Amino acid sequence: MDLTYSNSSDGSRFQQLPTLWQVLHRKTLPPVCLFNFYLYMRDHERSSEEVDFWLDVTAHELLWRLYVRATKRRLTQERMEREERNAGEAGEAGEAEERKRVREAAAALALAEAEMLESEQRKLQQVEQGNSPFSLLHQQTDFPFHISLANSNSQLASPITLGTSGVTKEDLQESAERIYYKYLTPQAETPVRIPNSVRRRVAQLMDSKIMIDLGLVFAEAREIVFEGMESYYFPRFIEARVYGNMVHSHRVARAVLGLGILFFGFVIMFCLIFLNRPRSLRRWAVIPIFVGILICTTFQFNICPLMAAFGVSEAKWMQFGKIKEPHIMMLHRKRAVKVVVVALLYTICVGAIFGIVPGHRL
């Protein structure tokens, strides 16, 4: 099945806010960090496999770079050892001739090394400059060698440690096959949304078993997944976390609670009217009406004034985290003031209407 994304982005609205690239590369602070984005994708959008795939491919490409660097170091070390061994075995009589032969052998080995790595370096440069069909959209990240990969069954999985040595061809092939069978095969456990034509190209590159292609085999698929998250999911994440501080289930609970309190306040008000009680008593019925309106307004604006005052945001149901982005904290507090003002205006209007209604005992 050919799964693609629909485009529902509103770029002009989010120009001054963090980008998806910054979030995925851990350059932002809560509540718009990678952890909260993963929770949003998992709990609200039910699409955490998109983030899992992006992080797994990023780790795979880092593993490939480590393999290339290790190969270059190994070839250089072997060449130096061979030169030293050949120089030691050369006799006094044929020292000049032996040195010439050693130089020729070293030159041939260096040429072979250059031919093997030339294609890899050229393709890597094209990718980093955005001139390759496997362009990675943005600059390459400064990931350390300890990367936390997201797991679809938990929040963020335990870190995978990648050392600077000991990366073998088998490790790289195993990493590529794990990603391919987990996300891109028809029977994949957690398939990602990419066109079938891209799946076929990835399958051809996997069959080639060429190390250069194996390093960038998922670059095009990762670019498509990134574009999908950037245009479809990320604007909704920004709407939920930057302009709100409650999760969806909490909002629904507040709506039910607010309507219940509002109904209770209206019942008291109508009882006072139809029992022909003095108007001075009706003002007390305005209190539950105000509370109900305030709670319903927090549902409408997705902002809890109390949480905004304490500078916290809800990551999961009744689990709160400190807001560390000053701009977002200021935005939350401005919206919290707006919520209180709107609730007061609604309450004043309702209170004025009930205040001018004459009492009539049934």
Side-chain angles (χ1 to χ4, degrees):
M1 180 173 60
D2 194 355
L3 299 175
T4 56
Y5 291 93
S6 62
N7 191 345
S8 63
S9 63
D10 185 8
S12 60
R13 184 176 184 181
F14 306 121
Q15 287 180 354
Q16 305 301 324
L17 298 173
T19 63
L20 178 60
W21 185 90
Q22 293 172 331
V23 171
L24 291 177
H25 291 77
R26 300 170 174 84
K27 297 183 180 295
T28 55
L29 299 174
V32 288
C33 58
L34 177 59
F35 177 75
N36 283 333
F37 180 62
Y38 183 81
L39 291 181
Y40 174 82
M41 292 289 288
R42 186 193 67 181
D43 300 335
H44 188 70
E45 298 292 350
R46 300 293 190 271
S47 298
S48 61
E49 65 276 0
E50 315 293 337
V51 185
D52 288 337
F53 176 76
W54 194 94
L55 293 174
D56 284 347
V57 172
T58 300
H60 172 74
E61 291 179 357
L62 176 59
L63 188 68
W64 170 60
R65 290 185 180 87
L66 292 177
Y67 171 80
V68 171
R69 293 170 188 170
T71 302
K72 292 173 65 175
R73 285 195 299 268
R74 178 175 54 82
L75 292 176
T76 303
Q77 185 177 2
E78 290 178 357
R79 182 185 61 187
M80 295 176 62
E81 291 176 353
R82 188 179 296 106
E83 289 178 354
E84 293 176 357
R85 184 173 60 253
N86 292 336
E89 293 175 355
E92 293 291 338
E95 182 176 353
E97 181 179 355
E98 185 65 22
R99 286 181 178 177
K100 180 179 179 181
R101 186 176 64 82
V102 169
R103 285 195 299 269
E104 292 176 353
L109 183 61
L111 180 61
E113 175 188 345
E115 291 176 352
M116 184 186 71
L117 297 176
E118 180 182 2
S119 177
E120 176 270 323
Q121 292 173 347
R122 183 170 58 254
K123 182 174 290 188
L124 181 58
Q125 291 174 356
Q126 291 176 349
V127 168
E128 293 175 345
Q129 295 172 0
N131 299 325
S132 168
F134 296 105
S135 149
L136 300 183
L137 275 178
H138 299 281
Q139 308 172 11
Q140 298 300 322
T141 177
D142 299 330
F143 275 127
F145 294 148
H146 299 277
I147 298 182
S148 296
L149 299 180
N151 187 307
S152 58
N153 297 324
S154 61
Q155 297 165 358
L156 285 179
S158 26
I160 293 179
T161 303
L162 301 177
T164 57
S165 62
V167 181
T168 63
K169 179 179 179 181
E170 289 73 20
D171 295 333
L172 193 60
Q173 290 177 340
E174 181 182 356
S175 174
E177 290 175 357
R178 180 181 62 84
I179 295 174
Y180 177 69
Y181 288 111
K182 183 178 179 181
Y183 300 105
L184 301 178
T185 59
Q187 299 82 20
E189 175 186 354
T190 53
V192 294
R193 296 180 179 89
I194 60 173
N196 286 333
S197 58
V198 178
R199 295 179 188 271
R200 288 192 292 268
R201 284 195 290 272
V202 172
Q204 292 173 0
L205 292 174
M206 289 291 295
D207 293 337
S208 67
K209 299 297 184 182
I210 301 176
M211 297 307 297
I212 297 174
D213 291 335
L214 201 59
L216 295 175
V217 63
F218 306 111
E220 185 180 8
R222 188 179 77 157
E223 178 178 344
I224 294 174
V225 170
F226 182 92
E227 290 176 345
M229 291 191 296
E230 187 177 43
S231 62
Y232 188 73
Y233 294 119
F234 190 67
R236 296 204 249 180
F237 169 72
I238 290 294
E239 184 75 25
R241 289 292 182 264
V242 174
Y243 296 100
N245 57 9
M246 296 183 295
V247 297
H248 181 70
S249 56
H250 191 173
R251 290 184 64 195
V252 174
R254 279 178 172 263
V256 174
L257 178 62
L259 291 175
I261 297 176
L262 195 59
F263 176 77
F264 177 71
F266 284 154
V267 168
I268 296 177
M269 184 66 74
F270 280 115
C271 289
L272 294 175
I273 291 175
F274 291 119
L275 290 175
N276 197 18
R277 298 295 184 180
R279 283 187 170 88
S280 58
L281 291 178
R282 298 183 190 178
R283 70 186 66 175
W284 299 107
V286 176
I287 296 178
I289 292 177
F290 169 73
V291 174
I293 290 177
L294 179 61
I295 296 177
C296 290
T297 309
T298 61
F299 164 79
Q300 179 184 0
F301 286 87
N302 191 23
I303 282 288
C304 173
L306 189 62
M307 291 165 56
F310 283 100
V312 297
S313 179
E314 191 174 32
K316 295 192 294 184
W317 171 258
M318 300 305 291
Q319 294 187 15
F320 308 99
K322 189 72 175 177
I323 299 176
K324 298 182 180 180
E325 287 282 0
H327 172 69
I328 296 178
M329 182 180 296
M330 181 178 63
L331 182 61
H332 281 192
R333 289 176 176 172
K334 288 182 178 180
R335 287 175 60 83
V337 172
K338 184 178 180 180
V339 166
V340 176
V341 171
V342 170
L344 284 173
L345 291 177
Y346 285 159
T347 306
I348 291 172
C349 294
V350 173
I353 293 174
F354 281 112
I356 62 177
V357 174
H360 179 74
R361 187 176 183 84
L362 296 180

